PDB file of all heavy atoms in Angstrom:
ATOM      1  N   GLU S1036       4.226 -68.244 -60.093  1.00  0.00           N
ATOM      2  CA  GLU S1036       5.596 -68.699 -59.880  1.00  0.00           C
ATOM      3  C   GLU S1036       6.068 -69.391 -61.150  1.00  0.00           C
ATOM      4  O   GLU S1036       5.310 -70.113 -61.788  1.00  0.00           O
ATOM      5  CB  GLU S1036       5.638 -69.669 -58.699  1.00  0.00           C
ATOM      6  CG  GLU S1036       7.027 -70.069 -58.309  1.00  0.00           C
ATOM      7  CD  GLU S1036       7.052 -70.937 -57.054  1.00  0.00           C
ATOM      8  OE1 GLU S1036       5.984 -71.364 -56.581  1.00  0.00           O
ATOM      9  OE2 GLU S1036       8.151 -71.186 -56.556  1.00  0.00           O
ATOM     10  N   TRP S1037       7.281 -69.166 -61.550  1.00  0.00           N
ATOM     11  CA  TRP S1037       7.874 -69.731 -62.763  1.00  0.00           C
ATOM     12  C   TRP S1037       7.130 -69.259 -64.006  1.00  0.00           C
ATOM     13  O   TRP S1037       6.923 -70.008 -64.963  1.00  0.00           O
ATOM     14  CB  TRP S1037       7.910 -71.262 -62.716  1.00  0.00           C
ATOM     15  CG  TRP S1037       8.636 -71.816 -61.546  1.00  0.00           C
ATOM     16  CD1 TRP S1037       8.077 -72.342 -60.420  1.00  0.00           C
ATOM     17  CD2 TRP S1037      10.053 -71.888 -61.343  1.00  0.00           C
ATOM     18  NE1 TRP S1037       9.055 -72.739 -59.541  1.00  0.00           N
ATOM     19  CE2 TRP S1037      10.289 -72.469 -60.091  1.00  0.00           C
ATOM     20  CE3 TRP S1037      11.151 -71.507 -62.113  1.00  0.00           C
ATOM     21  CZ2 TRP S1037      11.559 -72.677 -59.584  1.00  0.00           C
ATOM     22  CZ3 TRP S1037      12.413 -71.725 -61.605  1.00  0.00           C
ATOM     23  CH2 TRP S1037      12.607 -72.306 -60.362  1.00  0.00           C
ATOM     24  N   ALA S1038       6.722 -68.004 -64.031  1.00  0.00           N
ATOM     25  CA  ALA S1038       5.924 -67.470 -65.148  1.00  0.00           C
ATOM     26  C   ALA S1038       6.660 -67.518 -66.477  1.00  0.00           C
ATOM     27  O   ALA S1038       6.027 -67.567 -67.536  1.00  0.00           O
ATOM     28  CB  ALA S1038       5.521 -66.032 -64.843  1.00  0.00           C
ATOM     29  N   GLU S1039       7.990 -67.538 -66.454  1.00  0.00           N
ATOM     30  CA  GLU S1039       8.735 -67.576 -67.722  1.00  0.00           C
ATOM     31  C   GLU S1039       8.438 -68.837 -68.517  1.00  0.00           C
ATOM     32  O   GLU S1039       8.644 -68.891 -69.720  1.00  0.00           O
ATOM     33  CB  GLU S1039      10.245 -67.430 -67.481  1.00  0.00           C
ATOM     34  CG  GLU S1039      10.883 -68.546 -66.710  1.00  0.00           C
ATOM     35  CD  GLU S1039      10.833 -68.358 -65.198  1.00  0.00           C
ATOM     36  OE1 GLU S1039      10.225 -67.404 -64.704  1.00  0.00           O
ATOM     37  OE2 GLU S1039      11.405 -69.196 -64.488  1.00  0.00           O
ATOM     38  N   ARG S1040       7.898 -69.846 -67.862  1.00  0.00           N
ATOM     39  CA  ARG S1040       7.564 -71.082 -68.574  1.00  0.00           C
ATOM     40  C   ARG S1040       6.350 -70.916 -69.483  1.00  0.00           C
ATOM     41  O   ARG S1040       6.150 -71.702 -70.401  1.00  0.00           O
ATOM     42  CB  ARG S1040       7.322 -72.206 -67.579  1.00  0.00           C
ATOM     43  CG  ARG S1040       8.569 -72.582 -66.831  1.00  0.00           C
ATOM     44  CD  ARG S1040       8.300 -73.712 -65.899  1.00  0.00           C
ATOM     45  NE  ARG S1040       9.522 -74.104 -65.209  1.00  0.00           N
ATOM     46  CZ  ARG S1040       9.601 -75.130 -64.389  1.00  0.00           C
ATOM     47  NH1 ARG S1040       8.526 -75.862 -64.159  1.00  0.00           N
ATOM     48  NH2 ARG S1040      10.737 -75.424 -63.811  1.00  0.00           N
ATOM     49  N   GLY S1041       5.522 -69.924 -69.210  1.00  0.00           N
ATOM     50  CA  GLY S1041       4.360 -69.668 -70.056  1.00  0.00           C
ATOM     51  C   GLY S1041       4.303 -68.211 -70.479  1.00  0.00           C
ATOM     52  O   GLY S1041       3.235 -67.656 -70.662  1.00  0.00           O
ATOM     53  N   GLU S1042       5.469 -67.613 -70.641  1.00  0.00           N
ATOM     54  CA  GLU S1042       5.565 -66.184 -70.916  1.00  0.00           C
ATOM     55  C   GLU S1042       4.766 -65.750 -72.149  1.00  0.00           C
ATOM     56  O   GLU S1042       4.197 -64.663 -72.179  1.00  0.00           O
ATOM     57  CB  GLU S1042       7.027 -65.790 -71.073  1.00  0.00           C
ATOM     58  CG  GLU S1042       7.282 -64.333 -70.955  1.00  0.00           C
ATOM     59  CD  GLU S1042       8.755 -64.013 -70.751  1.00  0.00           C
ATOM     60  OE1 GLU S1042       9.599 -64.918 -70.770  1.00  0.00           O
ATOM     61  OE2 GLU S1042       9.048 -62.827 -70.581  1.00  0.00           O
ATOM     62  N   SER S1043       4.680 -66.596 -73.144  1.00  0.00           N
ATOM     63  CA  SER S1043       3.960 -66.227 -74.369  1.00  0.00           C
ATOM     64  C   SER S1043       2.459 -66.054 -74.124  1.00  0.00           C
ATOM     65  O   SER S1043       1.772 -65.441 -74.929  1.00  0.00           O
ATOM     66  CB  SER S1043       4.193 -67.269 -75.458  1.00  0.00           C
ATOM     67  OG  SER S1043       3.645 -68.514 -75.062  1.00  0.00           O
ATOM     68  N   LEU S1044       1.945 -66.578 -73.018  1.00  0.00           N
ATOM     69  CA  LEU S1044       0.523 -66.468 -72.705  1.00  0.00           C
ATOM     70  C   LEU S1044       0.189 -65.260 -71.838  1.00  0.00           C
ATOM     71  O   LEU S1044      -0.977 -64.948 -71.635  1.00  0.00           O
ATOM     72  CB  LEU S1044       0.052 -67.733 -71.970  1.00  0.00           C
ATOM     73  CG  LEU S1044       0.195 -69.044 -72.734  1.00  0.00           C
ATOM     74  CD1 LEU S1044      -0.150 -70.211 -71.824  1.00  0.00           C
ATOM     75  CD2 LEU S1044      -0.693 -69.039 -73.952  1.00  0.00           C
ATOM     76  N   LEU S1045       1.199 -64.568 -71.330  1.00  0.00           N
ATOM     77  CA  LEU S1045       0.954 -63.458 -70.409  1.00  0.00           C
ATOM     78  C   LEU S1045       0.448 -62.232 -71.162  1.00  0.00           C
ATOM     79  O   LEU S1045       0.889 -61.946 -72.270  1.00  0.00           O
ATOM     80  CB  LEU S1045       2.234 -63.123 -69.647  1.00  0.00           C
ATOM     81  CG  LEU S1045       2.787 -64.250 -68.787  1.00  0.00           C
ATOM     82  CD1 LEU S1045       4.090 -63.817 -68.121  1.00  0.00           C
ATOM     83  CD2 LEU S1045       1.779 -64.703 -67.749  1.00  0.00           C
ATOM     84  N   PRO S1046      -0.479 -61.481 -70.548  1.00  0.00           N
ATOM     85  CA  PRO S1046      -1.029 -60.293 -71.219  1.00  0.00           C
ATOM     86  C   PRO S1046       0.006 -59.170 -71.306  1.00  0.00           C
ATOM     87  O   PRO S1046       0.996 -59.158 -70.572  1.00  0.00           O
ATOM     88  CB  PRO S1046      -2.203 -59.895 -70.318  1.00  0.00           C
ATOM     89  CG  PRO S1046      -1.907 -60.491 -68.997  1.00  0.00           C
ATOM     90  CD  PRO S1046      -1.088 -61.726 -69.247  1.00  0.00           C
ATOM     91  N   PRO S1047      -0.232 -58.189 -72.188  1.00  0.00           N
ATOM     92  CA  PRO S1047       0.727 -57.099 -72.380  1.00  0.00           C
ATOM     93  C   PRO S1047       0.934 -56.224 -71.147  1.00  0.00           C
ATOM     94  O   PRO S1047       1.969 -55.592 -71.009  1.00  0.00           O
ATOM     95  CB  PRO S1047       0.151 -56.274 -73.516  1.00  0.00           C
ATOM     96  CG  PRO S1047      -1.130 -56.880 -73.885  1.00  0.00           C
ATOM     97  CD  PRO S1047      -1.362 -58.113 -73.091  1.00  0.00           C
ATOM     98  N   ASN S1048      -0.033 -56.169 -70.232  1.00  0.00           N
ATOM     99  CA  ASN S1048       0.122 -55.330 -69.048  1.00  0.00           C
ATOM    100  C   ASN S1048       0.739 -56.080 -67.865  1.00  0.00           C
ATOM    101  O   ASN S1048       0.595 -55.680 -66.718  1.00  0.00           O
ATOM    102  CB  ASN S1048      -1.210 -54.696 -68.652  1.00  0.00           C
ATOM    103  CG  ASN S1048      -2.261 -55.718 -68.285  1.00  0.00           C
ATOM    104  OD1 ASN S1048      -2.093 -56.909 -68.516  1.00  0.00           O
ATOM    105  ND2 ASN S1048      -3.358 -55.262 -67.734  1.00  0.00           N
ATOM    106  N   THR S1049       1.458 -57.153 -68.147  1.00  0.00           N
ATOM    107  CA  THR S1049       2.138 -57.922 -67.107  1.00  0.00           C
ATOM    108  C   THR S1049       3.252 -57.087 -66.482  1.00  0.00           C
ATOM    109  O   THR S1049       3.997 -56.411 -67.185  1.00  0.00           O
ATOM    110  CB  THR S1049       2.732 -59.209 -67.719  1.00  0.00           C
ATOM    111  OG1 THR S1049       1.657 -60.016 -68.200  1.00  0.00           O
ATOM    112  CG2 THR S1049       3.540 -59.998 -66.714  1.00  0.00           C
ATOM    113  N   ILE S1050       3.349 -57.134 -65.164  1.00  0.00           N
ATOM    114  CA  ILE S1050       4.430 -56.457 -64.441  1.00  0.00           C
ATOM    115  C   ILE S1050       5.332 -57.552 -63.876  1.00  0.00           C
ATOM    116  O   ILE S1050       4.991 -58.192 -62.884  1.00  0.00           O
ATOM    117  CB  ILE S1050       3.889 -55.578 -63.299  1.00  0.00           C
ATOM    118  CG1 ILE S1050       2.927 -54.534 -63.855  1.00  0.00           C
ATOM    119  CG2 ILE S1050       5.039 -54.925 -62.543  1.00  0.00           C
ATOM    120  CD1 ILE S1050       2.195 -53.739 -62.795  1.00  0.00           C
ATOM    121  N   PRO S1051       6.481 -57.799 -64.514  1.00  0.00           N
ATOM    122  CA  PRO S1051       7.377 -58.844 -64.012  1.00  0.00           C
ATOM    123  C   PRO S1051       8.003 -58.445 -62.663  1.00  0.00           C
ATOM    124  O   PRO S1051       8.511 -57.339 -62.507  1.00  0.00           O
ATOM    125  CB  PRO S1051       8.461 -58.948 -65.083  1.00  0.00           C
ATOM    126  CG  PRO S1051       7.873 -58.321 -66.303  1.00  0.00           C
ATOM    127  CD  PRO S1051       6.938 -57.269 -65.795  1.00  0.00           C
ATOM    128  N   VAL S1052       7.932 -59.354 -61.701  1.00  0.00           N
ATOM    129  CA  VAL S1052       8.563 -59.184 -60.394  1.00  0.00           C
ATOM    130  C   VAL S1052       9.475 -60.393 -60.195  1.00  0.00           C
ATOM    131  O   VAL S1052       9.016 -61.533 -60.243  1.00  0.00           O
ATOM    132  CB  VAL S1052       7.513 -59.117 -59.262  1.00  0.00           C
ATOM    133  CG1 VAL S1052       8.187 -59.016 -57.903  1.00  0.00           C
ATOM    134  CG2 VAL S1052       6.560 -57.956 -59.488  1.00  0.00           C
ATOM    135  N   ARG S1053      10.752 -60.139 -60.010  1.00  0.00           N
ATOM    136  CA  ARG S1053      11.714 -61.227 -59.813  1.00  0.00           C
ATOM    137  C   ARG S1053      12.292 -61.129 -58.406  1.00  0.00           C
ATOM    138  O   ARG S1053      12.709 -60.055 -57.984  1.00  0.00           O
ATOM    139  CB  ARG S1053      12.811 -61.138 -60.852  1.00  0.00           C
ATOM    140  CG  ARG S1053      12.300 -61.491 -62.231  1.00  0.00           C
ATOM    141  CD  ARG S1053      13.374 -61.433 -63.302  1.00  0.00           C
ATOM    142  NE  ARG S1053      12.850 -61.829 -64.586  1.00  0.00           N
ATOM    143  CZ  ARG S1053      12.070 -61.074 -65.345  1.00  0.00           C
ATOM    144  NH1 ARG S1053      11.711 -59.886 -64.941  1.00  0.00           N
ATOM    145  NH2 ARG S1053      11.629 -61.507 -66.505  1.00  0.00           N
ATOM    146  N   MET S1054      12.283 -62.251 -57.716  1.00  0.00           N
ATOM    147  CA  MET S1054      12.828 -62.298 -56.357  1.00  0.00           C
ATOM    148  C   MET S1054      13.978 -63.286 -56.325  1.00  0.00           C
ATOM    149  O   MET S1054      13.913 -64.351 -56.944  1.00  0.00           O
ATOM    150  CB  MET S1054      11.737 -62.709 -55.380  1.00  0.00           C
ATOM    151  CG  MET S1054      10.614 -61.692 -55.304  1.00  0.00           C
ATOM    152  SD  MET S1054       9.313 -62.161 -54.176  1.00  0.00           S
ATOM    153  CE  MET S1054       8.299 -63.147 -55.276  1.00  0.00           C
ATOM    154  N   SER S1055      15.027 -62.931 -55.617  1.00  0.00           N
ATOM    155  CA  SER S1055      16.170 -63.828 -55.484  1.00  0.00           C
ATOM    156  C   SER S1055      16.786 -63.657 -54.094  1.00  0.00           C
ATOM    157  O   SER S1055      16.587 -62.641 -53.431  1.00  0.00           O
ATOM    158  CB  SER S1055      17.212 -63.545 -56.568  1.00  0.00           C
ATOM    159  OG  SER S1055      17.648 -62.205 -56.488  1.00  0.00           O
ATOM    160  N   VAL S1056      17.506 -64.672 -53.685  1.00  0.00           N
ATOM    161  CA  VAL S1056      18.203 -64.646 -52.401  1.00  0.00           C
ATOM    162  C   VAL S1056      19.655 -64.302 -52.674  1.00  0.00           C
ATOM    163  O   VAL S1056      20.283 -64.889 -53.553  1.00  0.00           O
ATOM    164  CB  VAL S1056      18.098 -66.013 -51.688  1.00  0.00           C
ATOM    165  CG1 VAL S1056      18.883 -66.001 -50.388  1.00  0.00           C
ATOM    166  CG2 VAL S1056      16.643 -66.368 -51.442  1.00  0.00           C
ATOM    167  N   GLU S1057      20.159 -63.324 -51.945  1.00  0.00           N
ATOM    168  CA  GLU S1057      21.563 -62.940 -52.055  1.00  0.00           C
ATOM    169  C   GLU S1057      22.208 -63.137 -50.701  1.00  0.00           C
ATOM    170  O   GLU S1057      21.528 -63.299 -49.690  1.00  0.00           O
ATOM    171  CB  GLU S1057      21.674 -61.486 -52.521  1.00  0.00           C
ATOM    172  CG  GLU S1057      21.123 -61.294 -53.923  1.00  0.00           C
ATOM    173  CD  GLU S1057      21.410 -59.915 -54.479  1.00  0.00           C
ATOM    174  OE1 GLU S1057      21.923 -59.058 -53.727  1.00  0.00           O
ATOM    175  OE2 GLU S1057      21.128 -59.705 -55.659  1.00  0.00           O
ATOM    176  N   SER S1058      23.504 -63.103 -50.667  1.00  0.00           N
ATOM    177  CA  SER S1058      24.218 -63.372 -49.425  1.00  0.00           C
ATOM    178  C   SER S1058      23.807 -62.430 -48.297  1.00  0.00           C
ATOM    179  O   SER S1058      23.770 -62.818 -47.131  1.00  0.00           O
ATOM    180  CB  SER S1058      25.729 -63.293 -49.653  1.00  0.00           C
ATOM    181  OG  SER S1058      26.082 -62.008 -50.121  1.00  0.00           O
ATOM    182  N   SER S1059      23.471 -61.186 -48.627  1.00  0.00           N
ATOM    183  CA  SER S1059      23.112 -60.215 -47.599  1.00  0.00           C
ATOM    184  C   SER S1059      21.606 -60.131 -47.350  1.00  0.00           C
ATOM    185  O   SER S1059      21.157 -59.333 -46.544  1.00  0.00           O
ATOM    186  CB  SER S1059      23.639 -58.832 -47.996  1.00  0.00           C
ATOM    187  OG  SER S1059      23.060 -58.437 -49.224  1.00  0.00           O
ATOM    188  N   GLY S1060      20.821 -60.905 -48.045  1.00  0.00           N
ATOM    189  CA  GLY S1060      19.366 -60.866 -47.881  1.00  0.00           C
ATOM    190  C   GLY S1060      18.658 -61.262 -49.155  1.00  0.00           C
ATOM    191  O   GLY S1060      19.086 -62.174 -49.847  1.00  0.00           O
ATOM    192  N   ARG S1061      17.612 -60.537 -49.461  1.00  0.00           N
ATOM    193  CA  ARG S1061      16.821 -60.836 -50.658  1.00  0.00           C
ATOM    194  C   ARG S1061      16.806 -59.636 -51.592  1.00  0.00           C
ATOM    195  O   ARG S1061      16.912 -58.503 -51.167  1.00  0.00           O
ATOM    196  CB  ARG S1061      15.398 -61.207 -50.254  1.00  0.00           C
ATOM    197  CG  ARG S1061      15.356 -62.553 -49.567  1.00  0.00           C
ATOM    198  CD  ARG S1061      13.954 -62.885 -49.114  1.00  0.00           C
ATOM    199  NE  ARG S1061      13.851 -64.231 -48.623  1.00  0.00           N
ATOM    200  CZ  ARG S1061      14.311 -64.667 -47.470  1.00  0.00           C
ATOM    201  NH1 ARG S1061      14.966 -63.843 -46.674  1.00  0.00           N
ATOM    202  NH2 ARG S1061      14.153 -65.914 -47.098  1.00  0.00           N
ATOM    203  N   ARG S1062      16.603 -59.916 -52.862  1.00  0.00           N
ATOM    204  CA  ARG S1062      16.541 -58.862 -53.876  1.00  0.00           C
ATOM    205  C   ARG S1062      15.213 -58.999 -54.606  1.00  0.00           C
ATOM    206  O   ARG S1062      14.806 -60.100 -54.984  1.00  0.00           O
ATOM    207  CB  ARG S1062      17.697 -59.021 -54.854  1.00  0.00           C
ATOM    208  CG  ARG S1062      17.703 -58.018 -55.976  1.00  0.00           C
ATOM    209  CD  ARG S1062      18.870 -58.312 -56.916  1.00  0.00           C
ATOM    210  NE  ARG S1062      18.911 -57.366 -57.980  1.00  0.00           N
ATOM    211  CZ  ARG S1062      19.667 -56.276 -57.994  1.00  0.00           C
ATOM    212  NH1 ARG S1062      20.469 -56.029 -56.982  1.00  0.00           N
ATOM    213  NH2 ARG S1062      19.638 -55.453 -59.013  1.00  0.00           N
ATOM    214  N   ILE S1063      14.531 -57.882 -54.811  1.00  0.00           N
ATOM    215  CA  ILE S1063      13.271 -57.859 -55.553  1.00  0.00           C
ATOM    216  C   ILE S1063      13.429 -56.856 -56.685  1.00  0.00           C
ATOM    217  O   ILE S1063      13.800 -55.704 -56.456  1.00  0.00           O
ATOM    218  CB  ILE S1063      12.089 -57.460 -54.657  1.00  0.00           C
ATOM    219  CG1 ILE S1063      11.922 -58.477 -53.527  1.00  0.00           C
ATOM    220  CG2 ILE S1063      10.810 -57.346 -55.483  1.00  0.00           C
ATOM    221  CD1 ILE S1063      10.870 -58.104 -52.527  1.00  0.00           C
ATOM    222  N   GLU S1064      13.172 -57.303 -57.905  1.00  0.00           N
ATOM    223  CA  GLU S1064      13.245 -56.437 -59.082  1.00  0.00           C
ATOM    224  C   GLU S1064      11.850 -56.352 -59.693  1.00  0.00           C
ATOM    225  O   GLU S1064      11.222 -57.371 -59.944  1.00  0.00           O
ATOM    226  CB  GLU S1064      14.205 -57.012 -60.114  1.00  0.00           C
ATOM    227  CG  GLU S1064      15.643 -57.093 -59.639  1.00  0.00           C
ATOM    228  CD  GLU S1064      16.529 -57.766 -60.672  1.00  0.00           C
ATOM    229  OE1 GLU S1064      16.566 -57.281 -61.814  1.00  0.00           O
ATOM    230  OE2 GLU S1064      17.154 -58.774 -60.318  1.00  0.00           O
ATOM    231  N   ILE S1065      11.389 -55.128 -59.931  1.00  0.00           N
ATOM    232  CA  ILE S1065      10.082 -54.901 -60.550  1.00  0.00           C
ATOM    233  C   ILE S1065      10.322 -54.124 -61.829  1.00  0.00           C
ATOM    234  O   ILE S1065      10.881 -53.028 -61.806  1.00  0.00           O
ATOM    235  CB  ILE S1065       9.151 -54.109 -59.617  1.00  0.00           C
ATOM    236  CG1 ILE S1065       8.996 -54.853 -58.285  1.00  0.00           C
ATOM    237  CG2 ILE S1065       7.805 -53.876 -60.285  1.00  0.00           C
ATOM    238  CD1 ILE S1065       8.268 -54.076 -57.227  1.00  0.00           C
ATOM    239  N   GLU S1066       9.921 -54.699 -62.944  1.00  0.00           N
ATOM    240  CA  GLU S1066      10.103 -54.036 -64.240  1.00  0.00           C
ATOM    241  C   GLU S1066       8.947 -53.087 -64.516  1.00  0.00           C
ATOM    242  O   GLU S1066       7.851 -53.256 -63.980  1.00  0.00           O
ATOM    243  CB  GLU S1066      10.169 -55.069 -65.364  1.00  0.00           C
ATOM    244  CG  GLU S1066      11.432 -55.882 -65.355  1.00  0.00           C
ATOM    245  CD  GLU S1066      11.513 -56.822 -66.542  1.00  0.00           C
ATOM    246  OE1 GLU S1066      10.844 -56.551 -67.564  1.00  0.00           O
ATOM    247  OE2 GLU S1066      12.219 -57.818 -66.438  1.00  0.00           O
ATOM    248  N   GLY S1067       9.197 -52.122 -65.386  1.00  0.00           N
ATOM    249  CA  GLY S1067       8.148 -51.196 -65.788  1.00  0.00           C
ATOM    250  C   GLY S1067       7.121 -51.879 -66.663  1.00  0.00           C
ATOM    251  O   GLY S1067       7.310 -53.007 -67.121  1.00  0.00           O
ATOM    252  N   LEU S1068       6.048 -51.198 -66.901  1.00  0.00           N
ATOM    253  CA  LEU S1068       4.967 -51.736 -67.718  1.00  0.00           C
ATOM    254  C   LEU S1068       5.334 -51.677 -69.193  1.00  0.00           C
ATOM    255  O   LEU S1068       5.968 -50.725 -69.646  1.00  0.00           O
ATOM    256  CB  LEU S1068       3.686 -50.930 -67.506  1.00  0.00           C
ATOM    257  CG  LEU S1068       3.092 -51.005 -66.108  1.00  0.00           C
ATOM    258  CD1 LEU S1068       1.931 -50.028 -66.006  1.00  0.00           C
ATOM    259  CD2 LEU S1068       2.622 -52.407 -65.820  1.00  0.00           C
ATOM    260  N   SER S1069       4.887 -52.667 -69.933  1.00  0.00           N
ATOM    261  CA  SER S1069       5.080 -52.645 -71.372  1.00  0.00           C
ATOM    262  C   SER S1069       3.933 -51.898 -72.055  1.00  0.00           C
ATOM    263  O   SER S1069       4.044 -51.492 -73.192  1.00  0.00           O
ATOM    264  CB  SER S1069       5.187 -54.066 -71.918  1.00  0.00           C
ATOM    265  OG  SER S1069       4.023 -54.784 -71.600  1.00  0.00           O
ATOM    266  N   ALA S1070       2.836 -51.724 -71.347  1.00  0.00           N
ATOM    267  CA  ALA S1070       1.694 -50.966 -71.862  1.00  0.00           C
ATOM    268  C   ALA S1070       1.020 -50.274 -70.678  1.00  0.00           C
ATOM    269  O   ALA S1070       1.044 -50.787 -69.573  1.00  0.00           O
ATOM    270  CB  ALA S1070       0.702 -51.928 -72.531  1.00  0.00           C
TER     271      ALA S1070
END
């Protein structure tokens, strides 16, 4: 949780997953792999 605070320490195969609450429910975003 709050991985952006230590982003420089994350390995290259990190898969960012962002979750947020929207008025109609929740949103989940999964980015592609960097390696």
Side-chain angles (χ1 to χ4, degrees):
E1036 186 175 9
W1037 303 102
E1039 65 273 5
R1040 294 182 178 184
E1042 197 165 4
S1043 64
L1044 299 173
L1045 299 178
N1048 62 348
T1049 296
I1050 301 172
V1052 177
R1053 290 181 178 75
M1054 296 179 273
S1055 58
V1056 177
E1057 295 189 353
S1058 59
S1059 60
R1061 290 177 172 74
R1062 178 182 181 96
I1063 299 175
E1064 296 176 57
I1065 303 172
E1066 289 184 23
L1068 295 173
S1069 59

